[in-house]
Amino acid sequence: MLQHFNPRNVLFASMLIAGMTSCSDDDEPTVTPPTTEFRTKIDYAKVTPATPYKSLFIDTKGDTTADLTTGNVRYKMFQELNYYVGSAVRDSTQVSAAVMKNMYANTGNPFTDISTSTINIKGADLNASGVQLRDVTASSKPTAEADAARAHLETSFAGMEAISKSVKVAAAKGVAGKLGTYLVDTKGIEHGQIIQKGLIGALQLDYIGNVLLDKGLEADNTALVSGKKYTALEHNWDEAYGLLTLNPIYLAGATDAERKSNESFIGSYLWEYNKASYAKIHPAFVKGRAAIVNNDKAEVTAQATFIRTEMEKAIASAAVGYLGKWKSGTTDAARAHAMGEGLGFIYSLRYCKINGADAAFSDAILLGLMGSPNGFWDLTNDKINAATDAITAKFKL
């Protein structure tokens, strides 16, 4: 919990987590070899950047075998939680940690209808979905570390509630309140960004990359799931895509200068901070799904590894990018907002398994930046440079 940053506690937590993660299984996933084939093979030449995700995956009756529902439901839950957190500033209102926790765990029918130019949610559908964000948060990690990640987010919910009560107070060193258009705590930390970026890492990066496209590739691909038109392996891949985007073509029509399609969370930052590869992500998802149909283990693994690697590169580049924005910021508000985003992405580095990052790596950088009594208000160029150098070296940026 960044608002209670205590160097001694963080150091202890880093040592404890480092000990736990040393026991984790980092072996490459083993894809279950097929024993039967009941799909018509797909010509990879049919996969283009403009191929809608579901268009190639049809069974012998002409029915789609791709089901994005579960991934899309969790994506919309993330949207609604983020929209609610944003209401503290948008509507100058107090927000409730209890409501955020209920949205996070999908308890007590917390979701309501939202209709804006970018969000279209039917709350009743999410309430009745039977899925939640909490149980898949940090779910690739050992139990104690996953529990710590969930507790970290829930503590940030409480921090968000607390600072929302100061929405009409001018923030300063040691004073929570409004800094420009941003809400920060007594140490200058913007908890709305900690929650959003923390979930990008603990939910999207970890569940898509380290679960569905890693151990999830071991799922059965020889028979249909009871009552469904897909295999378990096919569904894992579909769920990963559905948690990345709501669109049939991810980043359709995007150029380096303009994103064009409506994407949020990691889907947006892949475009903003990975210009070299963002256009390759959609065809990688479609080709990987086609490879599952073709029982082509090598191609499935290759596409999964590519997607995971590029997501991690985007997270690391975003962390470095926002550290740079702190240095170039011309106002306290701009610097605090940059640091809020940066801290969230640095926290998420612990889920970058391909690059060998872990909680100890992430916490050490956070401690170096914010481990002083006044947090943001005590930042210096030397602290920013040390954090930037550590991330750049680790991720070979």
Side-chain angles (χ1 to χ4, degrees):
M1 172 57 189
L2 292 171
Q3 75 167 350
H4 300 300
F5 233 102
N6 181 306
R8 184 177 299 172
N9 291 343
V10 172
L11 180 60
F12 174 76
S14 300
M15 294 171 64
L16 179 61
I17 292 170
M20 292 185 293
T21 54
S22 66
C23 298
S24 63
D25 183 3
D26 291 332
D27 294 341
E28 287 298 314
T30 301
V31 179
T32 303
T35 56
T36 62
E37 293 186 7
F38 54 92
R39 302 289 194 207
T40 301
K41 287 188 180 299
I42 295 173
D43 182 356
Y44 292 133
K46 293 182 178 179
V47 178
T48 76
T51 303
Y53 180 82
K54 298 172 72 171
S55 63
L56 299 179
F57 312 125
I58 306 296
D59 65 15
T60 55
K61 295 181 180 179
D63 296 330
T64 182
T65 64
D67 187 341
L68 307 177
T69 304
T70 304
N72 282 174
V73 164
R74 285 200 171 99
Y75 185 103
K76 290 184 177 182
M77 287 177 170
F78 190 1
Q79 277 187 313
E80 180 144 351
L81 173 59
N82 187 62
Y83 186 80
Y84 178 75
V85 168
S87 69
V89 171
R90 187 179 59 247
D91 304 327
S92 294
T93 188
Q94 292 184 22
V95 293
S96 162
V99 171
M100 288 180 261
K101 288 181 71 173
N102 285 343
M103 288 183 181
Y104 185 44
N106 192 14
T107 58
N109 297 316
F111 297 105
T112 59
D113 294 352
I114 300 177
S115 180
T116 72
S117 60
T118 58
I119 302 176
N120 183 19
I121 291 174
K122 291 184 178 179
D125 291 346
L126 304 189
N127 292 330
S129 65
V131 301
Q132 56 175 282
L133 303 179
R134 193 180 192 283
D135 64 353
V136 296
T137 296
S139 52
S140 79
K141 299 290 188 179
T143 301
E145 190 174 350
D147 287 344
R150 293 160 188 154
H152 170 81
L153 279 163
E154 290 170 341
T155 305
S156 291
F157 297 159
M160 190 68 214
E161 177 184 283
I163 61 175
S164 73
K165 297 174 182 175
S166 301
V167 69
K168 296 181 180 179
V169 176
K173 183 187 294 186
V175 179
K178 202 85 170 288
L179 192 57
T181 57
Y182 311 111
L183 257 178
V184 301
D185 69 8
T186 56
K187 299 184 73 170
I189 295 172
E190 192 183 2
H191 284 264
Q193 292 300 324
I194 301 301
I195 293 167
Q196 185 193 97
K197 272 55 182 185
L199 274 171
I200 285 177
L203 172 70
Q204 289 186 300
L205 178 62
D206 190 61
Y207 190 51
I208 291 174
N210 299 333
V211 177
L212 295 171
L213 300 189
D214 188 15
K215 295 299 183 185
L217 301 185
E218 298 174 7
D220 182 70
N221 195 36
T222 65
L224 300 181
V225 174
S226 178
K228 303 296 183 182
K229 297 183 181 296
Y230 47 72
T231 69
L233 177 56
E234 288 173 331
H235 192 56
N236 282 347
W237 197 272
D238 293 344
E239 188 173 352
Y241 184 80
L243 187 54
L244 169 70
T245 181
L246 300 177
N247 294 315
I249 302 175
Y250 167 62
L251 286 176
T255 66
D256 287 1
E258 188 178 1
R259 195 183 62 203
K260 293 190 178 179
S261 67
N262 179 26
E263 308 286 355
S264 296
F265 313 128
I266 198 170
S268 175
Y269 290 102
L270 265 165
W271 170 79
E272 186 173 356
Y273 283 98
N274 193 345
K275 295 297 186 189
S277 298
Y278 71 81
K280 302 173 185 174
I281 298 297
H282 182 76
F285 262 105
V286 180
K287 189 172 185 179
R289 181 62 162 78
I292 291 172
V293 171
N294 294 347
N295 285 313
D296 185 347
K297 170 184 172 181
E299 194 62 52
V300 173
T301 303
Q303 297 306 324
T305 301
F306 173 78
I307 293 166
R308 297 175 64 202
T309 300
E310 299 309 319
M311 287 198 301
E312 291 190 6
K313 187 181 296 182
I315 295 293
S317 296
V320 169
Y322 281 105
L323 289 170
K325 289 183 179 180
W326 178 89
K327 294 177 71 173
S328 63
T330 57
T331 64
D332 283 340
R335 286 189 287 270
H337 181 60
M339 189 48 50
E341 299 218 43
L343 292 174
F345 280 119
I346 292 168
Y347 176 83
S348 291
L349 295 177
R350 70 195 60 218
Y351 302 106
C352 293
K353 181 179 175 183
I354 292 281
N355 284 277
D358 57 16
F361 174 78
S362 173
D363 284 341
I365 297 173
L366 293 172
L367 178 63
L369 288 167
M370 305 299 289
S372 63
N374 296 305
F376 160 77
W377 300 100
D378 293 338
L379 282 172
T380 63
N381 277 341
D382 286 346
K383 290 181 180 181
I384 296 294
N385 290 340
T388 300
D389 291 346
I391 299 167
T392 300
K394 184 74 172 177
F395 288 86
K396 299 178 175 61
L397 298 177

